[in-house]
Amino acid sequence: QVQLVESGGGLVQAGGSLKLSCAVSGRTFSSSGMGWFRQAPGKEREFVASIRWIGDRTSYEDSVKGRFTLSWDAAKNTVFLQMNALKPEDTAVYYCALRKQIGGLYDYWGQGTQVTVSS
């Protein structure tokens, strides 16, 4: 089994920064990569960023490009999402997820961490 635990959310003013963490434990050796998603009140969950282990390839949703950076600390088995220049529209619950198959659905999800950006 795989467990994902997010942390680092909170309240920040527009223009500020936060760094989210996702600690991964369990049987992760067969995974192909991880992703960050978010869900704002009344909206569907949306993709934010992802990393594929092969080639260390990262992808970002257009609205966060240049502001958010996904990184991975293999020694700590932790994925990070550094969020800079935050905007009120970034307010959401942020989730990390792990995917076993390249291009497949995400198989495991964390419980989420709230990010609130005030104007």
Side-chain angles (χ1 to χ4, degrees):
Q1 193 60 289
V2 175
Q3 295 82 41
L4 309 176
V5 179
E6 302 99 334
S7 61
L11 173 64
V12 64
Q13 289 188 331
S17 298
L18 282 174
K19 186 173 184 177
L20 306 183
S21 300
C22 175
V24 185
S25 62
R27 298 170 61 86
T28 62
F29 58 86
S30 62
S31 66
S32 67
M34 294 191 65
W36 284 96
F37 294 78
R38 65 186 180 186
Q39 186 167 19
K43 296 186 177 181
E44 294 187 352
R45 186 168 57 194
E46 65 175 1
F47 168 78
V48 176
S50 66
I51 182 168
R52 180 185 296 183
W53 305 139
I54 297 176
D56 202 21
R57 178 180 175 182
T58 55
S59 299
Y60 297 92
E61 192 271 330
D62 286 346
S63 70
V64 307
K65 284 180 181 177
R67 301 189 298 125
F68 290 12
T69 303
L70 187 156
S71 61
W72 164 251
D73 186 332
K76 296 181 179 180
N77 242 18
T78 300
V79 173
F80 302 98
L81 186 67
Q82 176 67 48
M83 306 186 295
N84 299 327
L86 283 162
K87 305 175 181 179
E89 51 263 43
D90 294 319
T91 295
V93 177
Y94 284 71
Y95 300 89
C96 65
L98 182 144
R99 178 161 59 185
K100 292 192 290 187
Q101 300 295 327
I102 295 175
L105 298 176
Y106 284 84
D107 302 278
Y108 301 96
W109 294 81
Q111 83 288 350
T113 185
Q114 176 71 47
V115 171
T116 303
V117 185
S118 63
S119 57

